[in-house]
Coordinates of all heavy atoms in Angstrom, one line a residue:
M36 N 92.6 107.8 77.6 CA 93.3 107.3 76.6 C 93.8 106.0 76.9 O 94.1 105.5 78.0 CB 94.4 108.2 76.5 CG 95.5 107.7 75.4 SD 97.0 108.8 75.3 CE 97.8 108.4 76.9
I37 N 93.6 105.0 75.9 CA 93.9 103.6 76.1 C 95.5 103.6 76.1 O 96.0 104.1 75.0 CB 93.3 102.8 75.0 CG1 91.9 102.7 75.2 CG2 93.9 101.3 75.1 CD1 91.3 102.0 76.4
V38 N 96.1 103.0 77.1 CA 97.5 102.8 77.1 C 97.9 101.5 76.6 O 98.9 101.4 75.8 CB 98.1 103.1 78.5 CG1 99.5 102.8 78.7 CG2 97.8 104.5 79.0
C39 N 97.2 100.4 77.1 CA 97.5 99.1 76.6 C 96.4 98.5 75.9 O 95.3 98.3 76.3 CB 97.8 98.2 78.0 SG 98.0 96.5 77.6
H40 N 96.6 98.4 74.6 CA 95.6 97.9 73.8 C 95.3 96.4 73.8 O 94.3 95.9 73.5 CB 96.0 98.2 72.3 CG 96.0 99.7 72.0 ND1 94.8 100.4 71.7 CD2 97.0 100.7 72.1 CE1 95.1 101.6 71.5 NE2 96.3 101.8 71.8
C41 N 96.3 95.6 74.4 CA 96.0 94.3 74.6 C 95.0 94.0 75.7 O 94.2 93.1 75.6 CB 97.3 93.5 74.9 SG 98.6 93.4 73.6
T42 N 95.1 94.8 76.7 CA 94.2 94.6 77.9 C 93.1 95.7 78.0 O 92.2 95.6 78.9 CB 94.9 94.5 79.2 OG1 95.7 95.8 79.4 CG2 96.0 93.4 79.2
G43 N 93.2 96.7 77.3 CA 92.3 97.9 77.4 C 92.5 98.8 78.6 O 91.5 99.5 79.0
I44 N 93.7 98.7 79.3 CA 94.0 99.6 80.3 C 94.2 101.0 79.9 O 95.0 101.3 79.0 CB 95.2 99.0 81.1 CG1 94.9 97.7 81.7 CG2 95.6 100.0 82.2 CD1 96.1 97.1 82.4
S45 N 93.5 102.0 80.5 CA 93.6 103.3 80.2 C 94.5 104.0 81.2 O 94.9 103.6 82.2 CB 92.2 104.0 80.2 OG 91.8 104.1 81.7
D46 N 94.9 105.2 80.8 CA 95.8 106.0 81.7 C 95.0 106.5 83.0 O 95.6 106.4 84.1 CB 96.2 107.5 81.0 CG 94.9 108.3 80.7 OD1 93.9 107.7 80.5 OD2 95.2 109.5 80.6
H47 N 93.7 106.5 83.0 CA 92.9 106.7 84.2 C 93.0 105.5 85.0 O 93.1 105.6 86.3 CB 91.5 107.0 83.8 CG 90.7 107.1 85.1 ND1 90.6 108.2 85.9 CD2 89.7 106.2 85.6 CE1 89.6 108.0 86.9 NE2 89.1 106.8 86.8
D48 N 93.0 104.3 84.6 CA 93.1 103.1 85.3 C 94.4 103.0 86.0 O 94.6 102.6 87.2 CB 93.0 101.8 84.4 CG 91.6 101.7 83.7 OD1 90.6 102.2 84.4 OD2 91.5 101.1 82.7
I49 N 95.5 103.4 85.3 CA 96.8 103.4 85.9 C 97.0 104.4 87.0 O 97.4 104.1 88.1 CB 98.0 103.7 84.7 CG1 97.9 102.6 83.7 CG2 99.2 103.8 85.4 CD1 98.7 102.8 82.5
R50 N 96.5 105.6 86.8 CA 96.7 106.6 87.9 C 95.7 106.1 89.1 O 96.2 106.2 90.2 CB 96.1 107.8 87.5 CG 97.1 108.6 86.5 CD 96.9 110.1 86.3 NE 95.5 110.3 85.5 CZ 95.6 110.3 84.2 NH1 96.6 110.3 83.6 NH2 94.4 110.5 83.7
A51 N 94.6 105.6 88.9 CA 93.8 105.1 89.9 C 94.5 104.0 90.7 O 94.4 104.0 92.0 CB 92.4 104.7 89.5
A52 N 95.0 103.1 90.0 CA 95.8 101.9 90.7 C 96.9 102.4 91.4 O 97.2 101.9 92.6 CB 96.2 100.9 89.6
V53 N 97.7 103.3 90.9 CA 98.9 103.8 91.7 C 98.3 104.5 92.9 O 99.0 104.3 94.1 CB 99.6 104.8 90.7 CG1 100.8 105.6 91.6 CG2 100.3 104.1 89.6
D54 N 97.4 105.3 92.8 CA 96.9 106.1 94.1 C 96.4 105.1 95.0 O 96.6 105.3 96.3 CB 95.8 107.0 93.6 CG 96.2 108.2 92.8 OD1 97.5 108.5 92.8 OD2 95.4 108.9 92.2
W55 N 95.7 104.1 94.6 CA 95.1 103.0 95.5 C 96.3 102.3 96.2 O 96.2 102.1 97.5 CB 94.2 102.1 94.7 CG 93.7 101.0 95.5 CD1 92.7 101.0 96.5 CD2 94.3 99.6 95.7 NE1 92.6 99.8 97.1 CE2 93.5 98.9 96.6 CE3 95.3 99.0 94.9 CZ2 93.8 97.5 96.8 CZ3 95.6 97.6 95.2 CH2 94.8 96.9 96.2
M56 N 97.3 101.9 95.5 CA 98.4 101.2 96.0 C 99.1 102.0 97.1 O 99.6 101.5 98.1 CB 99.4 100.8 95.1 CG 98.8 99.5 94.3 SD 100.2 98.9 93.1 CE 99.1 98.5 91.6
R57 N 99.3 103.3 96.8 CA 100.1 104.1 97.7 C 99.3 104.4 99.0 O 99.8 104.4 100.0 CB 100.2 105.5 97.0 CG 101.1 106.5 97.8 CD 102.5 106.0 98.3 NE 103.3 105.7 97.1 CZ 104.1 104.6 97.1 NH1 104.2 103.8 98.0 NH2 104.8 104.3 96.0
R58 N 98.0 104.5 98.8 CA 97.1 104.6 100.1 C 97.1 103.4 100.8 O 97.2 103.4 102.1 CB 95.7 104.9 99.7 CG 95.4 106.4 99.4 CD 93.9 106.8 99.4 NE 93.1 105.9 98.6 CZ 92.9 106.0 97.3 NH1 93.4 107.1 96.7 NH2 92.2 105.2 96.7
A59 N 97.1 102.1 100.3 CA 97.1 100.9 100.9 C 98.4 100.6 101.7 O 98.4 100.1 102.7 CB 96.7 99.7 100.0
D60 N 99.5 101.0 101.0 CA 100.8 100.7 101.6 C 101.8 101.9 101.2 O 102.3 101.9 100.1 CB 101.4 99.4 101.1 CG 102.6 99.1 101.8 OD1 103.2 99.9 102.6 OD2 103.2 97.9 101.6
P61 N 102.1 102.9 102.1 CA 102.8 104.1 101.7 C 104.3 103.6 101.3 O 104.9 104.5 100.7 CB 102.8 104.9 103.0 CG 101.7 104.4 103.9 CD 101.5 103.0 103.5
E62 N 104.8 102.5 101.8 CA 106.2 102.2 101.4 C 106.4 101.1 100.3 O 107.6 100.7 100.1 CB 106.8 101.7 102.8 CG 106.8 102.7 103.8 CD 107.5 102.2 105.1 OE1 107.9 101.0 105.2 OE2 107.7 103.0 106.1
T63 N 105.3 100.8 99.6 CA 105.5 99.8 98.6 C 106.1 100.3 97.3 O 106.0 101.6 97.0 CB 104.1 99.1 98.3 OG1 104.2 98.1 97.5 CG2 103.2 100.2 97.4
I64 N 106.8 99.4 96.7 CA 107.4 99.8 95.4 C 106.3 99.4 94.4 O 106.0 98.3 94.2 CB 108.7 99.1 95.2 CG1 109.7 99.3 96.2 CG2 109.3 99.4 93.8 CD1 110.2 100.7 96.4
I65 N 106.0 100.4 93.6 CA 104.8 100.1 92.6 C 105.5 99.9 91.3 O 106.3 100.6 90.7 CB 104.0 101.4 92.5 CG1 103.2 101.6 93.9 CG2 102.9 101.2 91.5 CD1 102.5 102.9 93.9
T66 N 105.2 98.7 90.6 CA 105.7 98.3 89.4 C 104.6 98.2 88.5 O 103.4 98.0 88.8 CB 106.5 96.9 89.5 OG1 105.6 96.0 90.0 CG2 107.5 97.1 90.7
P67 N 105.0 98.1 87.1 CA 103.9 97.9 86.1 C 103.3 96.5 86.4 O 102.0 96.4 86.2 CB 104.7 97.9 84.8 CG 105.8 98.7 85.1 CD 106.2 98.5 86.4
G68 N 103.9 95.5 86.7 CA 103.4 94.3 87.0 C 102.4 94.2 88.1 O 101.3 93.6 88.0
K69 N 102.6 95.0 89.1 CA 101.6 95.1 90.2 C 100.4 95.8 89.9 O 99.3 95.5 90.2 CB 102.3 95.9 91.4 CG 103.3 95.1 92.2 CD 103.8 95.9 93.4 CE 104.8 95.2 94.2 NZ 105.3 95.9 95.3
I70 N 100.5 96.7 88.8 CA 99.3 97.5 88.3 C 98.6 96.6 87.4 O 97.3 96.5 87.6 CB 99.8 98.8 87.7 CG1 100.4 99.8 88.5 CG2 98.7 99.4 86.8 CD1 101.0 101.1 87.9
Y71 N 99.2 95.8 86.6 CA 98.5 94.9 85.8 C 97.7 93.9 86.8 O 96.6 93.6 86.5 CB 99.5 94.0 84.9 CG 99.9 94.7 83.6 CD1 101.0 95.1 83.4 CD2 98.7 94.8 82.7 CE1 101.3 95.7 82.1 CE2 99.0 95.3 81.4 CZ 100.4 95.8 81.2 OH 100.7 96.5 80.0
H72 N 98.5 93.4 87.8 CA 97.8 92.4 88.7 C 96.6 93.1 89.4 O 95.5 92.4 89.5 CB 98.8 91.9 89.7 CG 98.3 90.8 90.5 ND1 98.2 89.6 90.1 CD2 97.8 90.9 91.9 CE1 97.7 88.9 91.1 NE2 97.5 89.6 92.2
A73 N 96.8 94.3 89.8 CA 95.8 95.0 90.6 C 94.5 95.2 89.7 O 93.3 95.2 90.2 CB 96.2 96.3 91.1
L74 N 94.7 95.4 88.5 CA 93.7 95.6 87.5 C 93.1 94.2 86.9 O 92.2 94.3 86.0 CB 94.0 96.5 86.3 CG 94.4 97.9 86.8 CD1 95.0 98.7 85.7 CD2 93.2 98.7 87.4
G75 N 93.7 93.2 87.4 CA 93.2 91.9 86.9 C 93.7 91.4 85.5 O 93.0 90.7 84.8
H76 N 94.8 92.0 85.1 CA 95.3 91.6 83.8 C 96.8 91.1 83.9 O 97.3 91.2 84.9 CB 95.2 92.8 82.9 CG 93.9 93.3 82.6 ND1 93.0 92.7 81.8 CD2 93.2 94.4 83.0 CE1 91.8 93.3 81.7 NE2 91.9 94.3 82.5
R77 N 97.3 90.7 82.8 CA 98.7 90.4 82.5 C 99.1 91.1 81.3 O 98.4 91.2 80.4 CB 99.0 88.9 82.4 CG 98.6 88.1 83.6 CD 98.8 86.6 83.4 NE 100.2 86.4 82.9 CZ 100.6 85.2 82.6 NH1 99.9 84.1 82.9 NH2 101.8 85.1 82.1
A78 N 100.4 91.5 81.3 CA 101.0 92.1 80.1 C 101.0 91.0 79.0 O 101.3 90.0 79.3 CB 102.4 92.7 80.3
D79 N 100.8 91.5 77.8 CA 100.8 90.4 76.7 C 102.1 90.8 75.8 O 103.1 90.0 75.9 CB 99.5 90.5 75.9 CG 99.4 89.4 75.0 OD1 100.1 88.4 75.0 OD2 98.4 89.4 74.1
C80 N 101.9 91.7 75.0 CA 103.0 91.9 73.9 C 104.1 92.8 74.6 O 105.3 92.7 74.1 CB 102.4 92.6 72.7 SG 101.9 94.3 72.8
G81 N 103.7 93.7 75.6 CA 104.7 94.6 76.1 C 105.0 95.8 75.3 O 105.7 96.6 75.7
G82 N 104.3 96.0 74.1 CA 104.5 97.2 73.4 C 104.1 98.5 74.0 O 104.6 99.5 73.7
C83 N 103.3 98.4 75.0 CA 102.7 99.6 75.7 C 103.7 100.1 76.8 O 103.5 101.1 77.4 CB 101.4 99.3 76.3 SG 101.4 97.9 77.6
M84 N 104.6 99.3 77.0 CA 105.6 99.6 78.3 C 106.1 101.0 78.3 O 106.1 101.6 79.5 CB 106.7 98.5 78.5 CG 107.0 98.3 79.9 SD 105.7 98.1 81.1 CE 104.8 96.6 80.5
P85 N 106.7 101.6 77.3 CA 107.2 102.9 77.5 C 106.1 103.9 77.8 O 106.3 104.7 78.7 CB 107.7 103.2 76.1 CG 108.0 101.8 75.5 CD 107.0 100.9 76.1
L86 N 105.0 103.8 77.2 CA 103.8 104.7 77.5 C 103.2 104.4 78.9 O 102.9 105.3 79.6 CB 102.7 104.6 76.6 CG 101.5 105.6 76.7 CD1 102.0 107.0 76.7 CD2 100.5 105.4 75.6
F87 N 103.2 103.1 79.3 CA 102.7 102.7 80.6 C 103.7 103.3 81.7 O 103.2 103.9 82.6 CB 102.8 101.1 80.7 CG 101.9 100.5 81.7 CD1 100.7 99.9 81.4 CD2 102.4 100.4 83.0 CE1 99.9 99.4 82.3 CE2 101.5 99.9 84.0 CZ 100.3 99.4 83.6
L88 N 104.9 103.2 81.5 CA 105.9 103.7 82.4 C 105.8 105.2 82.5 O 105.8 105.8 83.6 CB 107.4 103.3 82.2 CG 107.6 101.8 82.4 CD1 108.9 101.5 81.8 CD2 107.5 101.6 83.8
D89 N 105.6 105.9 81.3 CA 105.5 107.4 81.4 C 104.2 107.8 82.1 O 104.3 108.8 82.9 CB 105.4 107.9 79.9 CG 106.8 108.0 79.2 OD1 107.8 107.8 80.0 OD2 106.9 108.1 78.0
T90 N 103.1 107.1 81.9 CA 101.9 107.3 82.7 C 102.1 107.2 84.1 O 101.7 108.0 85.0 CB 100.8 106.5 82.2 OG1 100.7 106.6 80.7 CG2 99.5 106.8 82.8
M91 N 102.9 106.1 84.5 CA 103.1 105.9 86.0 C 103.9 107.1 86.5 O 103.6 107.5 87.6 CB 103.8 104.6 86.1 CG 103.1 103.4 86.0 SD 104.1 101.9 86.1 CE 104.7 102.0 87.8
R92 N 105.0 107.5 85.8 CA 105.9 108.5 86.3 C 105.1 109.9 86.5 O 105.6 110.6 87.2 CB 107.0 108.7 85.3 CG 108.0 107.5 85.4 CD 109.2 107.8 84.5 NE 110.0 106.6 84.4 CZ 110.2 105.9 83.3 NH1 109.8 106.4 82.1 NH2 111.0 104.8 83.2
M93 N 104.0 110.1 85.8 CA 103.3 111.4 85.9 C 102.4 111.3 87.2 O 101.9 112.4 87.5 CB 102.4 111.5 84.6 CG 103.3 112.0 83.5 SD 102.3 112.5 82.1 CE 101.7 110.9 81.3
C94 N 102.3 110.2 87.8 CA 101.4 110.1 89.1 C 102.3 110.8 90.2 O 103.3 110.3 90.6 CB 101.1 108.7 89.4 SG 99.9 108.0 88.2
A95 N 101.7 111.8 90.9 CA 102.4 112.4 92.0 C 102.6 111.4 93.1 O 103.6 111.5 94.0 CB 101.6 113.5 92.6
S96 N 101.8 110.3 93.2 CA 101.8 109.4 94.4 C 102.8 108.1 94.1 O 102.8 107.2 94.9 CB 100.6 108.9 94.9 OG 99.9 108.2 93.8
L97 N 103.5 108.1 93.0 CA 104.3 107.0 92.6 C 105.6 106.8 93.5 O 105.9 105.7 93.9 CB 104.8 107.1 91.2 CG 105.7 106.0 90.7 CD1 104.9 104.7 90.7 CD2 106.3 106.3 89.2
E98 N 106.1 107.9 93.9 CA 107.4 107.8 94.7 C 107.1 107.4 96.1 O 106.0 107.8 96.7 CB 108.0 109.2 94.8 CG 108.4 109.7 93.4 CD 109.5 108.9 92.7 OE1 110.4 108.4 93.4 OE2 109.6 108.8 91.4
V99 N 108.0 106.7 96.7 CA 107.9 106.2 98.1 C 108.3 107.5 98.9 O 109.3 108.2 98.6 CB 108.8 105.1 98.4 CG1 108.8 104.8 100.0 CG2 108.5 103.9 97.6
P100 N 107.5 107.8 99.9 CA 107.8 109.0 100.8 C 109.1 108.9 101.4 O 109.6 107.7 101.6 CB 106.6 109.0 101.8 CG 105.6 108.2 101.3 CD 106.3 107.2 100.4
T101 N 109.8 110.0 101.7 CA 111.2 110.0 102.3 C 111.1 109.3 103.7 O 110.1 109.2 104.3 CB 111.7 111.4 102.4 OG1 110.8 112.2 103.1 CG2 111.9 111.9 101.0
T102 N 112.2 109.1 104.2 CA 112.4 108.5 105.6 C 111.7 109.3 106.6 O 111.9 110.5 106.7 CB 113.8 108.4 105.9 OG1 114.5 107.6 104.9 CG2 113.9 107.6 107.3
P103 N 110.9 108.7 107.4 CA 110.2 109.5 108.5 C 111.2 110.1 109.5 O 112.2 109.4 109.8 CB 109.3 108.5 109.2 CG 109.4 107.2 108.6 CD 110.4 107.3 107.4
P104 N 110.9 111.3 110.0 CA 111.9 111.8 111.0 C 112.2 111.0 112.2 O 113.2 111.2 112.7 CB 111.2 113.1 111.3 CG 109.9 113.2 110.8 CD 109.8 112.0 109.8
A105 N 111.3 110.2 112.6 CA 111.5 109.4 113.8 C 112.7 108.5 113.7 O 113.6 108.3 114.7 CB 110.3 108.6 114.2
I106 N 112.9 107.9 112.4 CA 114.0 107.0 112.3 C 115.3 107.8 112.3 O 116.4 107.3 112.9 CB 113.9 106.3 111.0 CG1 112.7 105.3 111.1 CG2 115.1 105.6 110.6 CD1 112.3 104.6 109.8
G107 N 115.4 109.0 111.8 CA 116.6 109.8 111.9 C 116.9 110.2 113.2 O 118.1 110.2 113.6
A108 N 115.9 110.4 114.1 CA 116.1 110.7 115.5 C 116.9 109.6 116.3 O 117.7 109.9 117.0 CB 114.8 111.2 116.2
V109 N 116.4 108.3 116.0 CA 117.0 107.3 116.6 C 118.5 107.2 116.2 O 119.4 106.9 117.0 CB 116.2 106.0 116.2 CG1 117.0 104.8 116.7 CG2 114.9 106.1 116.8
S110 N 118.8 107.3 114.9 CA 120.1 107.4 114.5 C 121.0 108.3 115.2 O 122.2 108.1 115.6 CB 120.2 107.5 113.0 OG 119.5 106.5 112.3
R111 N 120.5 109.6 115.4 CA 121.2 110.7 116.0 C 121.6 110.2 117.5 O 122.6 110.6 118.0 CB 120.6 111.9 116.0 CG 120.7 112.6 114.6 CD 120.2 114.0 114.5 NE 118.8 114.2 114.8 CZ 117.9 114.0 113.8 NH1 118.2 113.9 112.6 NH2 116.6 114.1 114.1
Q112 N 120.7 109.5 118.1 CA 120.8 109.2 119.6 C 121.9 108.1 119.7 O 122.6 108.0 120.6 CB 119.5 108.6 120.0 CG 118.4 109.6 120.3 CD 117.2 109.0 120.8 OE1 117.0 107.8 120.7 NE2 116.2 109.8 121.1
A113 N 122.2 107.3 118.7 CA 123.2 106.3 118.6 C 124.6 106.8 118.5 O 125.5 106.1 118.8 CB 122.9 105.2 117.6
I114 N 124.7 107.9 117.8 CA 126.0 108.4 117.4 C 126.9 108.6 118.6 O 128.1 108.2 118.6 CB 125.9 109.7 116.5 CG1 125.4 109.2 115.2 CG2 127.2 110.4 116.4 CD1 125.0 110.4 114.2
P115 N 126.4 109.3 119.7 CA 127.3 109.5 120.9 C 127.8 108.2 121.6 O 128.9 108.1 122.0 CB 126.5 110.4 121.9 CG 125.4 111.0 121.0 CD 125.1 110.1 119.8
I116 N 126.9 107.2 121.5 CA 127.3 105.9 122.1 C 128.5 105.3 121.4 O 129.4 104.7 121.9 CB 126.1 105.1 122.2 CG1 125.0 105.7 123.2 CG2 126.4 103.6 122.7 CD1 123.8 104.9 123.1
L117 N 128.3 105.3 119.9 CA 129.3 104.9 119.1 C 130.7 105.5 119.3 O 131.8 104.9 119.2 CB 128.8 104.9 117.7 CG 127.6 104.0 117.3 CD1 127.3 104.2 116.0 CD2 128.1 102.5 117.4
R118 N 130.6 106.9 119.4 CA 131.9 107.6 119.6 C 132.5 107.3 120.9 O 133.7 107.5 121.0 CB 131.5 109.1 119.4 CG 131.2 109.5 118.1 CD 131.1 111.1 118.0 NE 130.8 111.5 116.6 CZ 130.0 112.5 116.3 NH1 129.6 113.2 117.3 NH2 129.8 112.7 115.0
Q119 N 131.8 107.0 122.0 CA 132.3 106.7 123.2 C 133.0 105.4 123.2 O 133.7 104.9 124.3 CB 131.4 106.9 124.3 CG 130.9 108.3 124.5 CD 129.7 108.4 125.5 OE1 129.4 107.4 126.1 NE2 129.2 109.5 125.7
G120 N 132.8 104.5 122.4 CA 133.4 103.2 122.2 C 132.6 102.2 123.2 O 133.1 101.2 123.5
R121 N 131.5 102.5 123.7 CA 130.8 101.6 124.5 C 129.9 100.6 123.7 O 129.5 99.7 124.3 CB 129.8 102.4 125.5 CG 130.5 103.3 126.5 CD 129.6 103.8 127.5 NE 128.7 104.7 126.8 CZ 127.6 105.2 127.2 NH1 127.1 104.8 128.3 NH2 126.9 106.1 126.6
H122 N 129.8 100.9 122.5 CA 129.1 100.0 121.7 C 130.0 98.8 121.1 O 131.0 99.2 120.5 CB 128.4 100.7 120.4 CG 127.6 99.8 119.6 ND1 126.3 99.4 119.9 CD2 127.8 99.4 118.4 CE1 125.9 98.7 118.9 NE2 126.8 98.6 118.0
H123 N 129.6 97.6 121.2 CA 130.2 96.5 120.5 C 129.2 95.6 120.1 O 128.2 95.6 120.4 CB 131.4 95.8 121.4 CG 130.8 95.3 122.6 ND1 130.2 94.0 122.7 CD2 130.6 95.7 123.8 CE1 129.8 93.7 123.9 NE2 130.0 94.8 124.6
E124 N 129.7 94.7 119.1 CA 128.7 93.7 118.5 C 128.6 92.4 119.2 O 128.0 91.6 118.8 CB 129.3 93.4 117.0 CG 129.3 94.6 116.2 CD 129.9 94.3 114.8 OE1 130.4 93.2 114.7 OE2 130.0 95.2 114.1
G125 N 129.1 92.3 120.5 CA 128.9 91.2 121.3 C 129.9 90.1 121.2 O 129.8 89.1 121.7
R126 N 130.9 90.4 120.4 CA 132.0 89.3 120.3 C 132.9 89.4 121.5 O 133.1 90.5 122.1 CB 133.0 89.7 119.1 CG 132.1 89.4 117.8 CD 133.1 89.6 116.6 NE 132.4 90.5 115.7 CZ 133.0 91.5 115.0 NH1 134.4 91.5 115.1 NH2 132.5 92.3 114.1
S127 N 133.5 88.3 121.8 CA 134.3 88.2 123.0 C 135.6 88.9 122.8 O 136.0 89.1 121.6 CB 134.7 86.7 123.4 OG 135.4 86.2 122.2
Q128 N 136.1 89.5 123.8 CA 137.4 90.4 123.8 C 138.6 89.5 123.7 O 139.7 89.9 123.2 CB 137.4 91.4 124.8 CG 136.2 92.2 124.9 CD 136.1 93.2 123.6 OE1 137.2 93.8 123.3 NE2 134.9 93.4 123.1
G129 N 138.6 88.3 124.3 CA 139.8 87.5 124.3 C 139.8 86.5 123.3 O 138.9 86.4 122.4
N130 N 140.8 85.7 123.3 CA 140.9 84.5 122.3 C 140.0 83.4 122.9 O 140.1 82.3 122.8 CB 142.4 84.0 122.1 CG 143.1 85.2 121.3 OD1 142.4 85.9 120.6 ND2 144.3 85.2 121.7
Ligands
FES281 S1 99.8 96.8 74.3 FE1 100.0 96.4 76.5 S2 100.6 94.3 76.6 FE2 100.3 94.6 74.4

C-alpha cells in the first residue's frame, strides 16, 4: 500500500527501512526524516505523516531495546560506595 503519494513510499518500504536501521544501530532513534533519507526521498506536502507514523509504530523493531543488564550491574556496585561516603566529586574540602 502506498503511504506517501508524493514520493511513492509504501508500507513495505517503511517496515524494511525501520528493520534495516534497527539492525545497523540498535540504539538509534528512528524518525520519519531518517526513513525518508534512507529511502532517498524528502517529505513534500506532509499529508502522509499520520499514516506514515502509524506504519512506523506497527513495526516491532521501532522501539529502542531496554537498558542492557551490564549497565544496571555497574550502578548497583556504586551504591555501597556512595552510602559509605567515600565518594566525592573531587572538590577541595577546605576554603
Ligand atoms: S504524501 Fe507524503 S509528503 Fe506528500
Side-chain angles (χ1 to χ4, degrees):
M36 171 182 72
I37 296 293
V38 173
C39 177
H40 290 276
C41 291
T42 60
I44 293 176
S45 68
D46 59 335
H47 174 77
D48 296 334
I49 294 170
R50 283 194 294 272
V53 168
D54 291 341
W55 175 78
M56 283 186 221
R57 182 59 59 220
R58 279 195 310 274
D60 184 356
E62 297 179 356
T63 192
I64 305 294
I65 299 173
T66 63
K69 287 182 179 178
I70 292 174
Y71 274 111
H72 186 76
L74 296 173
H76 296 288
R77 294 176 53 173
D79 190 8
C80 71
C83 60
M84 207 47 61
L86 182 57
F87 201 100
L88 289 168
D89 286 345
T90 305
M91 287 175 62
R92 288 183 189 120
M93 287 189 281
C94 295
S96 59
L97 179 65
E98 302 290 328
V99 175
T101 58
T102 306
I106 292 175
V109 170
S110 298
R111 281 192 294 275
Q112 290 172 353
I114 290 172
I116 294 171
L117 292 172
R118 285 187 181 150
Q119 292 171 4
R121 291 187 294 160
H122 177 77
H123 62 84
E124 297 176 354
R126 290 186 233 145
S127 62
Q128 298 297 315
N130 293 331

